[in-house]
């Protein structure tokens, strides 16, 4: 008897809650429509934060603030879900639309045909940033060193004819000078994170255009050393710096199949040390294609701003880093995961 009565009461309250949410959504729809008609930005992150914070402080003694936070992020998400396309096209939407962003492509540019095929394949999936090395910092000087200048030209033609941006590594100031106009995002590789003169030279060449620069963590570098390396760029007025975590060397490599130890926890720590965007490279971090999907999801869950991933239409055919190169099937899964995060805009 007692239970029946109480359950009925609970059912009635639940219905009341749902009815209140419906009424709330109707008002929120009216507001969104008003904003659209009057050309206001539709999405106001500060307003959302203030709603949640006010409720949290008002009811902090009677209800767990975490419940309010979770409940309201869901309520707010669903109230704007139907308007997501409009939000995406709004000014703020433009900024968050590409975040997290995905840079993908082969480890190295192998031929004109190879890079053109990969560029058009990836563009069809909706990927906007094409990676590919033309100057490869190979551990052994007796292996393929990349196609050099002509490789960058192929890469640039392939990317730009598919409306994509070029991401590529240079290992010397001359390489950058000669190829500057073909490159959209300059990569400073892991092995060169400690090459301070090169870093300064790159900043000098890039000083008027301020193109984005990806600075990869050396696999033996502390996070502080990574930050210091980025300050070499900052001190030369570079403001488009992106830090990239790409695995570090630990005792794990003695036995594990991992090429490096994925430095996922560093994402959290680095966030506290810098306001620069942080991306993660699951390919070099693990050195094994089988790890790339899970590592990508992990890094995204930990809040990276982007990923840089090696892929090829036939991974085993890759001249460099075949083992860690993922198929399009896996790449699509990662891209889908990213799209879901983007839709969540929060
Ligand atoms: C690369 O991304 O092409 C590369 C060589 O990676 P890393 O510098 O991290 O070894
Ligand atoms: Mn590689």
């Amino acid at each position: 008897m007692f239970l029946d009565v109480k359950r009925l009461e609970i059912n009635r309250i639940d219905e009341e809650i749902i009815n209140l949410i419906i009424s709330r959504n109707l008002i929120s729809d009216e507001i969104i429509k008003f904003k659209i008609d009057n050309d206001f930005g539709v999405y106001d992150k500060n307003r959302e934060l203030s709603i949640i914070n006010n409720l949290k402080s008002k009811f902090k003694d009677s209800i767990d603030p975490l419940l309010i936070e979770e409940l309201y992020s869901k309520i707010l998400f669903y109230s704007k879900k139907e308007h997501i396309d409009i939000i995406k096209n709004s000014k703020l939407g433009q900024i968050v639309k590409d975040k997290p962003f995905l840079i993908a492509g082969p480890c190295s540019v192998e031929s004109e045909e190879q890079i053109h095929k990969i560029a058009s394949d990836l563009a069809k999936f909706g990927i906007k940033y094409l990676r590919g090395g033309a100057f490869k910092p190979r551990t052994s000087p007796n292996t393929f060193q990349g196609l050099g200048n002509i490789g960058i030209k192929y890469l640039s033609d392939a990317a730009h004819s598919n409306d994509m941006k070029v991401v590529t590594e240079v290992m010397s100031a001359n390489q950058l000078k000669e190829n500057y106009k073909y490159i959209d995002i300059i990569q400073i590789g892991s092995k060169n994170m400690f090459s301070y003169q090169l870093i300064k030279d790159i900043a000098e060449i890039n000083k008027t255009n301020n193109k984005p620069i990806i600075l990869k963590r050396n696999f033996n570098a502390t996070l502080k050393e990574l930050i210091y390396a980025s300050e070499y760029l900052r001190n030369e007025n570079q403001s488009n710096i992106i830090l990239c975590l790409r695995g570090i060397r630990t005792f794990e490599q003695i036995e594990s199949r991992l090429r490096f130890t994925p430095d996922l926890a560093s994402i959290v720590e680095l966030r506290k040390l810098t306001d620069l965007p942080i991306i993660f490279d699951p390919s070099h971090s693990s050195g094994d294609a089988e790890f790339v999907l899970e590592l990508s999801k992990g890094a995204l869950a930990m809040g990276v701003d982007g990923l840089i991933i090696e892929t090829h239409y036939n991974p085993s055919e890759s001249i460099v880093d075949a083992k860690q190169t993922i198929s399009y099937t896996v790449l699509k899964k990662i891209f889908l995961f990213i799209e879901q995060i983007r839709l969540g805009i929060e």
Side-chain angles (χ1 to χ4, degrees):
M1 224 19 227
F2 170 82
L3 271 186
D4 286 343
V5 172
K6 289 294 158 194
R7 280 179 176 155
L8 272 178
E9 262 177 60
I10 289 257
N11 289 352
R12 190 190 46 76
I13 291 175
D14 281 342
E15 283 182 20
E16 228 173 90
I17 292 174
I18 298 294
N19 271 323
L20 286 171
I21 292 176
I22 293 171
S23 311
R24 191 188 188 287
N25 281 348
L26 288 174
I27 297 178
S28 150
D29 271 358
E30 280 179 56
I31 293 178
I32 289 176
K33 282 195 187 92
F34 173 82
K35 283 180 171 177
I36 294 168
D37 290 345
N38 291 284
D39 261 353
F40 289 175
V42 172
Y43 176 57
D44 185 346
K45 187 172 181 159
N46 288 336
R47 161 78 183 146
E48 293 196 351
L49 285 178
S50 85
I51 291 176
I52 296 178
N53 288 337
N54 287 344
L55 290 170
K56 271 162 70 175
S57 72
K58 195 162 183 182
F59 294 100
K60 65 179 182 300
D61 297 328
S62 38
I63 189 164
D64 186 340
L66 270 182
L67 174 59
I68 293 190
E69 192 162 327
E70 287 194 21
L71 194 62
Y72 269 81
S73 36
K74 289 275 183 302
I75 290 176
L76 292 169
F77 172 70
Y78 278 88
S79 72
K80 62 182 186 257
K81 197 163 147 276
E82 308 224 316
H83 309 278
I84 219 87
D85 283 337
I86 294 160
I87 294 169
K88 272 179 146 190
N89 291 325
S90 71
K91 210 161 166 209
L92 185 98
Q94 292 297 338
I95 299 166
V96 293
K97 194 157 93 175
D98 269 350
K99 271 192 176 185
F101 54 90
L102 177 55
I103 303 169
C107 179
S108 61
V109 180
E110 299 168 352
S111 67
E112 190 172 14
E113 297 70 39
Q114 175 245 23
I115 198 64
H116 273 269
K117 176 160 171 43
I118 293 178
S120 79
D121 292 340
L122 300 190
K124 276 185 210 120
F125 303 155
I127 293 167
K128 301 209 178 79
Y129 303 91
L130 181 69
R131 62 147 291 142
F135 299 103
K136 295 303 302 175
R138 303 302 302 282
T139 305
S140 161
N142 308 317
T143 51
F144 177 59
Q145 301 286 303
L147 295 181
N149 293 340
I150 190 72
I152 300 235
K153 178 109 182 24
Y154 294 155
L155 177 69
S156 156
D157 288 345
H160 296 142
S161 60
N162 284 288
D163 211 11
M164 298 172 91
K165 302 269 185 232
V166 169
V167 180
T168 199
E169 172 171 3
V170 288
M171 296 193 292
S172 76
N174 270 342
Q175 288 170 2
L176 182 59
K177 263 190 225 149
E178 278 189 46
N179 297 290
Y180 191 72
K181 64 170 188 265
Y182 299 121
I183 304 173
D184 301 305
I185 300 179
I186 305 158
Q187 182 175 321
I188 300 175
S190 176
K191 285 170 179 149
N192 277 318
M193 191 208 92
F194 286 118
S195 306
Y196 302 130
Q197 190 55 52
L198 172 67
I199 296 179
K200 284 196 229 176
D201 291 345
I202 288 177
E204 174 62 29
I205 298 165
N206 194 40
K207 76 169 181 252
T208 29
N209 291 288
N210 200 21
K211 293 184 183 183
I213 298 176
I214 294 177
L215 176 66
K216 293 187 96 172
R217 178 187 194 176
N218 180 275
F219 41 80
N220 292 314
T222 63
L223 290 180
K224 219 176 201 165
E225 287 166 334
L226 174 61
I227 302 275
Y228 280 138
S230 75
E231 282 176 13
Y232 273 97
L233 292 169
R234 278 195 155 171
N235 290 354
E236 308 287 328
N237 290 325
Q238 295 296 304
S239 56
N240 272 322
I241 308 161
I242 299 164
L243 300 178
C244 178
L245 297 170
R246 47 80 70 215
I248 50 173
R249 189 165 275 169
T250 72
F251 69 89
E252 203 172 25
Q253 276 73 57
I254 298 169
E255 284 185 340
S256 155
R257 58 196 273 194
L258 293 171
R259 183 177 179 190
F260 293 95
T261 296
D263 42 352
L264 284 175
S266 299
I267 297 168
V268 181
E269 202 175 351
L270 199 51
R271 273 269 181 258
K272 297 189 206 301
L273 299 174
T274 178
D275 52 359
L276 294 174
I278 301 166
I279 65 172
F280 185 71
D281 174 344
S283 310
H284 292 90
S285 278
S286 62
D288 191 327
E290 277 185 32
F291 288 78
V292 171
L293 173 61
E294 303 300 338
L295 284 176
S296 299
K297 287 184 175 175
L300 289 164
M302 293 176 94
V304 283
D305 298 292
L307 295 171
I308 178 164
I309 298 182
E310 292 184 343
T311 188
H312 194 287
Y313 46 84
N314 187 353
S316 63
E317 222 179 66
S318 312
I319 300 179
V320 185
D321 286 347
K323 191 167 173 245
Q324 70 194 31
T325 298
I326 56 166
S327 65
Y328 290 164
T329 317
V330 178
L331 186 73
K332 276 190 213 161
K333 285 187 190 165
I334 297 169
F335 191 65
L336 207 74
F337 195 77
I338 289 181
E339 279 293 279
Q340 283 168 3
I341 296 174
R342 281 191 196 142
L343 275 177
I345 308 175
E346 39 177 49

